């Protein structure tokens, strides 16, 4: 796979570290857990969208665009990283946010990613849940054109064959690091949503014949629909790389048992996972994706899904900025009241 044939601009700090999590492994009684720190991509608090945006923004620039338009949920990490990428390139950025949770918690509506996007100068428009967001983006693109601008639409999550190249690249990076560390990777586990991350990883790991199993923990759709959308995008990505047929359908595996009450709605498992990682490894997960992904991994470990001597790499896809939009979900986990006697 010759990724340098595709236009790419550098936005992130790569390679991100591949590290052991000895305290978490011990607490759970094995397997050996490792973490790929894609929360450390460096773009305005980082995350998995940075890798995709390196290829997507390069394509936008090649097409002469001056304005990027994208969409996501209210606390979208993708929207935040897109705003940061646009700021770095001096492009305009318009964000369309869909109210998928119905939360009216002021911190959900104004803090976390929403605050950071506005800090970076991107106007945000919030739409009712269930809006056809692709259609809404087309309308905004027309407005930009009417004003003399040149819009470029990035799909939700940056998930198309161009964006997925970022995770083909991540698969190759993990393989190189594993080889350098003499680490045999048996499984890669991560949160899957708009499918680009898993499609890219599977294409990279299968295209290089690594034999590594990838498991996506779903955060929204049921299993069959999630696997289908990942498989479809993996096929498109393989074709874009001139590797038609590189990914077999049965190599796309998702587990969607950890969604809980719905996309972006806190679950008890997520709260446990976020708190556990914070307290055993000092690692901040997020409430919508990596928290539920880790909740799935923890539960599967407890059910004996992995052999005790296997090596499992969790890809930390970022998103900790969203924690500030979800503080209320964690109140019961926090130590007693803050002691303010000394400032009274
Ligand atoms: C977007 C996102 C994901 C999901 O990645 P997809 O490529 O959309 O499947 C996982 N974790 C975080 C923190 C994200 O922001």
């Amino acid at each position: 796979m010759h990724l340098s044939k595709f236009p790419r601009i550098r936005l992130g700090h790569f390679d991100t570290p591949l590290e052991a999590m000895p305290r978490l492994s011990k607490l759970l009684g094995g397997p050996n857990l490792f973490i790929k720190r894609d929360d450390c991509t460096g773009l305005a608090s980082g995350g998995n969208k940075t890798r995709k945006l390196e290829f997507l923004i390069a394509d936008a620039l090649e097409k002469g665009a001056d304005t990027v338009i994208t969409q996501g949920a209210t606390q979208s990490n993708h929207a935040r990283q897109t705003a940061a990428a646009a700021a770095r390139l001096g492009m305009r950025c318009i964000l369309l946010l869909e109210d998928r949770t119905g939360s009216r918690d002021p911190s959900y509506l104004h803090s976390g990613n929403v605050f950071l996007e506005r800090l970076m100068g991107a106007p945000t428009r919030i739409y009712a849940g269930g809006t056809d967001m692709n259609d809404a983006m087309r309308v905004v693109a027309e407005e930009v054109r009417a004003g003399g601008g040149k819009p470029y639409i990035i799909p939700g999550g940056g998930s198309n064959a161009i964006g997925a190249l970022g995770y083909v690249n991540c698969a190759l990076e993990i393989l190189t690091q594993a080889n350098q560390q003499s680490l045999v990777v048996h499984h890669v586990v991560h949160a899957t949503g708009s499918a680009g991350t898993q499609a890219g990883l599977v294409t990279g790991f299968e295209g290089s014949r690594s034999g590594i199993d990838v498991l996506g923990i779903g955060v929204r759709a049921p299993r069959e629909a999630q696997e289908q959308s990942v498989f479809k995008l993996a096929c498109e990505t393989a074709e874009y790389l001139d590797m038609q047929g590189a990914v077999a359908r049965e190599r796309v595996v998702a587990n969607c048992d950890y969604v809980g009450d719905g996309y972006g709605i806190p679950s008890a498992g997520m709260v446990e996972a976020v708190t556990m990682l914070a307290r055993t490894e000092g690692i901040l997960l997020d409430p919508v994706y990596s928290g539920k992904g880790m909740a799935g991994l923890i539960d599967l470990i407890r059910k004996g899904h992995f052999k005790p001597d296997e090596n499992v790499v969790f890809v930390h896809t970022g998103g900790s900025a969203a924690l500030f939009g979800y503080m209320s979900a964690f109140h019961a986990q926090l130590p007693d009241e803050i002691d303010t006697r000394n400032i009274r």
Side-chain angles (χ1 to χ4, degrees), residues 3 11 38 58 76 81-82 87 91 107 124 127 132 138 182 227 234 251 286-287 294 337:
L3 292 174
L11 294 169
D38 270 15
S76 166
Q81 288 163 85
T82 304
M91 302 172 90
S107 60
T124 53
Y127 292 72
D132 182 339
R138 282 190 288 270
S182 300
E227 288 185 352
R251 297 299 289 158
D286 84 277
M294 182 57 77
E337 290 299 298

Side-chain angles (χ1 to χ4, degrees), residues 6 15 36 42 71 82 90 98 154 192 265 277 332 340:
F6 299 91
D15 303 347
K36 175 64 171 165
Q71 63 101 359
T82 304
E98 181 189 0
I154 295 178
T192 179
I265 300 182
L277 267 283
T340 56

Side-chain angles (χ1 to χ4, degrees), residues 4 9 39 52 59 80 89 91 95 100 129 140 146 148 163 166-167 186 206 213 238 249 259 275 290 295 303:
S4 45
I9 50 148
D39 57 321
K52 301 176 181 186
D59 186 54
R80 184 229 329 136
L89 289 150
M91 302 172 90
L95 301 172
R100 286 188 207 157
V140 173
Y167 272 84
H186 298 99
E206 290 297 291
D213 289 336
R249 171 64 184 82
V259 177
T275 309
S290 55
K303 287 181 169 151

